Structure formats: structure tokens, C-alpha cells
Amino acid sequence: MITVRDAKTPKQIVGRFNMEVIQNGDRKAFEELVAPGFINRSAPPGGSNGPEGLWNTFHTMLRPALSNLIVTIHDQVSEGGKVVTRKTIAGTHSGRLMEIAPAGRAVAIEVIDIVRIEDGRYVEHWGVNTLPALLAPVAAGLSSPPSRRPPGAARR
């Protein structure tokens, strides 16, 4: 069995990033996996599109807002040095998320991203996600984001 530390193929490297960096918040893994010249082509307007902007997305925005954060990779396709991943980032909204008070509800952010890998490291990223749709009801004045069950969660 290949462990995340043994990741060699582009798909394995992206899998390692998702588990160690996004899910577990491992800064050392982040530094190993992201090239200094990394460019996030999907960074928000006015935000940093370099490595620190990417780290801050997870370290200062998502991880503090979502307890029990889990990343589930549903599909990956790799060609050359690019990997397309369809995944879900899920957790409990237990901290402030972009100025929105904790709702205490399960939330799931659906993501499709493309990462270009070079010499075993992230060098470019493009992505789309459902975070804006998740936050829209709150921005419209509703009390909290809609409840979302993580994939595979049982109905009550």
C-alpha cells in the first residue's frame, strides 16, 4: 500500500495535499508540496494568488470555521502533469466563516479543481466550488447556511 508520504504520481501528490494539508493542516507537508512560484489562477479578486494565499484559505478561513473537517475525493483524472479532482470538503460550521457566525450545522463544499504538478509540487491551480452558494442565504439575511449532510451521512 502506498502511504501519502510515498506519493510520486501527480494523482498521489494531489491526494496527499488534500489529506495532509487541507484535512490535517500540516504546514510542513504544504511547504513540501507547493512550489515557491505557485500561482492560484482562481484566487479571489484582491487576494494573494501565491503560496501564502493558498495556505491562508485553509489555515485561516476553512479549518477554523469547520470542525471535524474531512476531505473526500470522489474522482480524479490525470493527464501529463495536470490532475482534475472532484471532491467534497465537509465539516461542522462551528467557527466564523467569512464573517458568518457559527451555525452548528453540517456543511459540505463541493469542489472541482485542476492542479498542475511539476517536479512533484503544485505550480498552478484552477478551481470552482459551491462555497458562494452555501453562503448566499446568509448574505441575503437568512439566519444560517442550509444544512448539508456530508456524502454518505445517514438521514435522520
Side-chain angles (χ1 to χ4, degrees), residues 65-146:
L66 302 178
S67 58
N68 306 313
L69 190 145
I70 301 277
V71 178
T72 303
I73 295 176
H74 306 291
D75 296 298
Q76 283 189 305
V77 178
S78 180
E79 185 172 326
K82 289 185 181 168
V83 179
V84 178
T85 304
R86 183 178 67 86
K87 63 189 174 193
T88 303
I89 299 172
T92 302
H93 182 202
S94 58
R96 292 195 76 73
L97 179 59
M98 299 177 71
E99 303 306 318
I100 297 172
R105 295 182 179 191
V107 296
I109 303 163
E110 306 301 330
V111 180
I112 297 176
D113 60 13
I114 303 169
V115 177
R116 186 167 68 85
I117 304 293
E118 192 173 278
D119 297 325
R121 301 176 92 183
Y122 277 45
V123 292
E124 281 183 288
H125 169 266
W126 300 261
V128 294
N129 65 65
T130 60
L131 182 60
L134 183 70
L135 299 176
V138 178
L142 301 176
S143 62
S144 63

